Amino acid sequence: MKMKRYITCLLLAAQSLWAESNSTDTNNTKPPIVNFIDMNMMDSRFQYMDRKKDHIALVFVQDWCQASRHFLANVAPFDDLWGDDTAIILVNAGNNHQWVINRYDVDWRVIDGPARQDLIDWFKVRQVPKLVLVDTKTGASMNREQWKQTQNDE
């Protein structure tokens, strides 16, 4: 567990240093965790893509978990309500990513590979399902009231 945290910190530090050394990079004003999410985000075909939406909602699930499946069935209304400005990103700690993507009618973005565990560690996800709303200005997770405030500020 300590090794995973060390690797996560190392990856975030390296990414942060890279952003600082690249003066033409527009990402250097973002918090390191937001850059990390942006660098590892893929579309539903697992092709890397750029985030074009202002906000981030991470959906932590496991494909075999009944509670996660019930939770995923209710993501579509969230997408309908906030999807125009929010990138809803699937972080599946299970093994069957394609099943989740094909089953639910949401325009999924995904985080796959070792970055999944890094995000689980970063946001201290101990049980699933879990929805984490990320403040793109600070990189911190937000509660419902903070999220509503960011939506009202625009």
Side-chain angles (χ1 to χ4, degrees):
M1 189 65 157
K2 287 183 181 181
M3 184 63 136
K4 288 180 184 177
R5 287 185 187 159
Y6 176 75
I7 291 171
T8 300
C9 290
L10 189 62
L11 287 171
L12 289 171
Q15 191 280 324
S16 179
L17 288 173
W18 177 83
E20 289 173 9
S21 68
N22 187 350
S23 61
T24 61
D25 184 13
T26 58
N27 290 334
N28 63 1
T29 59
K30 296 181 202 172
I33 191 63
V34 174
N35 278 334
F36 183 80
I37 291 168
D38 287 347
M39 288 174 45
N40 288 284
M41 186 174 65
M42 295 181 256
D43 63 18
S44 60
R45 294 178 313 254
F46 297 93
Q47 302 295 316
Y48 288 100
M49 64 179 294
D50 293 328
R51 178 175 54 89
K52 303 203 183 336
K53 300 185 179 189
D54 294 334
H55 304 289
I56 298 173
L58 297 171
V59 179
F60 291 92
V61 296
Q62 290 204 352
D63 52 72
W64 53 264
C65 172
Q66 190 63 33
S68 290
R69 290 179 180 190
H70 179 72
F71 182 79
L72 287 167
N74 294 296
V75 170
F78 182 87
D79 184 51
D80 290 342
L81 188 60
W82 301 111
D84 291 342
D85 11 343
T86 304
I88 300 173
I89 304 172
L90 176 68
V91 184
N92 181 10
N95 296 320
N96 195 349
H97 311 293
Q98 202 63 47
W99 181 88
V100 174
I101 290 168
N102 292 338
R103 181 165 171 98
Y104 301 99
D105 188 28
V106 175
D107 182 22
W108 290 113
R109 288 143 199 92
V110 297
I111 301 287
D112 198 28
R116 290 181 300 160
Q117 189 60 49
D118 293 336
L119 288 175
I120 289 168
D121 293 342
W122 181 271
F123 289 106
K124 298 178 177 78
V125 176
R126 300 294 175 245
Q127 58 190 15
V128 293
K130 183 172 184 173
L131 176 69
V132 175
L133 306 169
V134 180
D135 184 336
T136 55
K137 292 180 178 95
T138 66
S141 58
M142 296 185 286
N143 63 30
R144 185 175 155 189
E145 286 73 30
Q146 293 166 324
W147 178 263
K148 285 181 182 178
Q149 185 62 42
T150 65
Q151 300 299 317
N152 293 333
D153 287 347
E154 297 175 352

